[in-house]
Amino acid sequence: MGKELRIPSATIERIAFYSRPLEDLLVKGVRVISSDKFADMCKVNPAQIRKDLSYFGEFGVRGVGYDVRDLLTAIKKILVSDREWKLALVGLGNLGMALLRHENFLKRGYRFVAAFDVDPRRIGRRFARELVVHHVARLNEVSRELGVTIGVIATPSSQAQAVSDLLVSAGVKAILNFSPIHVRKPESCLVENVDFTVNLDNLAYHLTRTAAL
Amino acid sequence: MGKELRIPSATIERIAFYSRPLEDLLVKGVRVISSDKFADMCKVNPAQIRKDLSYFGEFGVRGVGYDVRDLLTAIKKILVSDREWKLALVGLGNLGMALLRHENFLKRGYRFVAAFDVDPRRIGRRFARELVVHHVARLNEVSRELGVTIGVIATPSSQAQAVSDLLVSAGVKAILNFSPIHVRKPESCLVENVDFTVNLDNLAYHLTRTAAL
DNA sequence: TGGTGTGAACAACTTCACAGCG
DNA sequence: CGCTGTGAAGTTGTTCACACCA
């Protein structure tokens, strides 16, 4: 019924994921899908899907299912990925470069509008039309000017805390952190950490438990 | 007490994370740490840390705390990251290249021993000492020969399912999947999915709820 | 004394089961 | 009739509180 109650963060993550299979269905020309079939695609329980969606409203038709296009639109609205978010990248090493060039971000409304590094060989380099690499010293100035809302840290971990502080003082309210340390930051700033080796550790652990190698 | 009981998967993920701050402490010369202080570093509840560790044994000393070096060793043993795991990379686009060059993997015992692509310009290219890029057609043969245990998918999503099937048929038992689709695979094969845009969706959602922009 | 290890209380999340509607 | 939406039951994970030990 979508009453204004506390929404489980697990629900948000699943909702974000649902949009991908929905896009597939749309491309394939599927118009309507039941929670049962969709659950199958997403590998979750059908009730889970119904409940997740019910936090935000009533999107289905009883006896029929969900209209694929409408549901996708609704989800994008929920996630606020129906607007464009401006990102700043800090650190243009291998990973940073790959992120800049990664097309999925732009497809989903996340646009890099600024990039920063300390290496003189990288400064001044140009990507896409509008994106120039600046020295980190100009982070505050440039970020504010361009209206950056999300910062992406792709520096060595030794720099991550300093970069985070800079981003915070530049008014950036959310950070996606690819360095393997948890940065210290004020309450008002949100951080998501991404560390691939944690995923590998997980696989390694479960590999040795479940399947004998 | 470390009885052989079911271990929460959330515990495994945290244990994997604990090793990072522990390494920092070790470098700084800190010998012993209490669950309180360590919890502070990791931003979790102290009881959580004690309980997580207690699933695997008794590592602490009452009235004192945990020996940093011993605990780190114990954790590596738990995660089986005290041995080397052999990885195969499929897809040498921007992301794939960045992963190959990313030093953190090797530091933590994950070594790329093979790489595959379909682009003729990439095939035959050499990385590090021992790593040559092969055509995907040779995936089965080369992977078996080198004893690959974990496959990493960094191809466009259109190829992800086919690559997954190939890896499975080459006897690979675990996959780290960077493409934004959930691949279909047999029970016996473990998959971890990584999709940065889901992290961004999360940030975007919480940004608009908590802080007014 | 001070900090671990852990049963028991609590909180969060998931699944069930079915009423209710198209 | 079939499938959604949802309270209630069940499951899993987290935190408390304190016995116990170095």
Side-chain angles (χ1 to χ4, degrees):
Chain A
M1 239 226 270
K3 289 160 297 198
E4 236 359 286
L5 71 95
R6 179 125 200 79
I7 290 153
S9 61
T11 290
I12 305 299
E13 288 183 31
R14 276 191 303 270
I15 295 250
F17 173 73
Y18 294 159
S19 60
R20 283 141 192 78
L22 276 177
E23 278 166 356
D24 283 357
L25 287 171
L26 198 62
V27 168
K28 284 186 194 131
V30 178
R31 295 244 141 151
V32 170
I33 190 141
S34 68
S35 62
D36 258 50
K37 292 226 191 74
F38 192 57
D40 216 45
M41 296 179 67
C42 299
K43 307 208 173 72
V44 301
N45 183 294
Q48 183 82 84
I49 286 178
R50 298 201 296 277
K51 182 152 288 241
D52 283 344
L53 295 174
S54 79
Y55 284 113
F56 299 98
E58 308 202 356
F59 302 106
V61 181
R62 288 161 198 244
V64 179
Y66 298 87
D67 181 285
V68 173
R69 179 183 300 274
D70 290 355
L71 186 55
L72 186 56
T73 307
I75 284 180
K76 291 201 167 181
K77 195 155 227 156
I78 290 167
L79 296 173
V80 211
S81 67
D82 56 346
R83 62 117 135 171
E84 192 173 271
W85 292 88
K86 296 181 180 174
L87 312 190
L89 175 68
V90 189
L92 280 107
N94 300 313
L95 180 61
M97 292 286 192
L99 294 173
L100 262 194
R101 293 172 172 144
H102 201 260
E103 286 151 18
N104 286 0
F105 287 108
L106 196 51
K107 264 191 222 152
R108 308 195 148 275
Y110 300 101
R111 178 188 294 275
F112 285 104
V113 296
F116 303 93
D117 205 300
V118 288
D119 186 333
R121 288 168 300 181
R122 292 171 183 159
I123 290 164
R125 222 173 132 177
R126 185 173 282 279
F127 292 86
R129 267 189 302 273
E130 296 287 315
L131 186 70
V132 184
V133 180
H134 297 284
H135 192 280
V136 165
R138 298 191 57 205
L139 193 151
N140 196 308
E141 170 202 350
V142 175
S143 297
R144 286 182 186 278
E145 190 179 316
L146 297 173
V148 167
T149 43
I150 303 178
V152 178
I153 300 180
T155 62
S157 45
S158 56
Q159 314 299 320
Q161 182 61 59
V163 168
S164 167
D165 295 345
L166 267 175
L167 287 167
V168 168
S169 76
V172 172
K173 290 291 189 296
I175 293 176
L176 183 60
N177 175 28
F178 284 88
S179 86
I181 66 159
H182 281 194
V183 296
R184 194 176 297 276
K185 46 87 203 169
E187 272 295 308
S188 63
C189 180
L190 305 167
V191 176
E192 286 266 315
N193 295 290
V194 179
D195 184 349
F196 316 141
T197 60
V198 171
N199 294 282
L200 287 170
D201 287 345
N202 248 291
L203 287 174
Y205 175 83
H206 290 290
L207 259 181
T208 45
R209 304 276 153 162
T210 63
L213 284 191
Chain B
M1 239 225 275
K3 290 160 297 198
E4 236 358 291
L5 70 95
R6 182 128 197 73
I7 290 153
S9 61
T11 290
I12 305 299
E13 288 183 31
R14 276 190 302 270
I15 295 254
F17 172 72
Y18 294 160
S19 60
R20 284 141 192 75
L22 276 178
E23 278 166 356
D24 282 358
L25 288 171
L26 199 60
V27 168
K28 284 188 194 130
V30 178
R31 295 242 139 151
V32 170
I33 190 143
S34 68
S35 62
D36 258 50
K37 291 225 192 74
F38 192 57
D40 216 45
M41 294 180 67
C42 298
K43 308 209 172 73
V44 301
N45 183 294
Q48 183 83 81
I49 286 178
R50 297 200 298 275
K51 181 151 289 230
D52 283 344
L53 295 174
S54 79
Y55 284 114
F56 298 98
E58 309 200 356
F59 303 106
V61 180
R62 289 165 199 237
V64 179
Y66 298 87
D67 181 285
V68 172
R69 180 184 300 274
D70 290 355
L71 186 55
L72 186 57
T73 306
I75 284 180
K76 291 201 166 178
K77 195 156 226 158
I78 291 168
L79 296 172
V80 210
S81 68
D82 56 345
R83 62 117 135 172
E84 192 173 271
W85 293 88
K86 294 181 179 175
L87 313 188
L89 175 69
V90 190
L92 280 106
N94 300 314
L95 181 61
M97 292 287 191
L99 294 173
L100 263 196
R101 292 173 174 144
H102 200 261
E103 287 151 18
N104 286 0
F105 287 109
L106 195 51
K107 264 191 224 154
R108 310 196 145 274
Y110 300 101
R111 178 189 294 276
F112 285 105
V113 296
F116 304 94
D117 204 300
V118 289
D119 186 332
R121 287 166 301 180
R122 291 171 183 160
I123 291 163
R125 221 173 134 177
R126 186 172 281 277
F127 291 86
R129 267 191 302 274
E130 297 287 317
L131 186 72
V132 184
V133 180
H134 297 285
H135 192 281
V136 166
R138 299 190 58 206
L139 193 150
N140 196 307
E141 170 202 348
V142 175
S143 297
R144 286 183 185 279
E145 191 179 314
L146 297 174
V148 167
T149 43
I150 303 178
V152 178
I153 302 180
T155 63
S157 46
S158 57
Q159 314 299 321
Q161 183 61 60
V163 168
S164 167
D165 294 346
L166 267 175
L167 286 168
V168 169
S169 75
V172 172
K173 290 290 188 299
I175 294 174
L176 183 60
N177 175 28
F178 285 89
S179 87
I181 67 160
H182 281 193
V183 296
R184 196 175 297 277
K185 46 87 203 170
E187 271 294 308
S188 62
C189 180
L190 305 168
V191 176
E192 286 267 315
N193 295 291
V194 180
D195 184 349
F196 316 140
T197 61
V198 171
N199 294 283
L200 287 170
D201 287 345
N202 249 291
L203 286 174
Y205 174 83
H206 290 290
L207 259 181
T208 44
R209 305 275 152 161
T210 62
L213 284 192

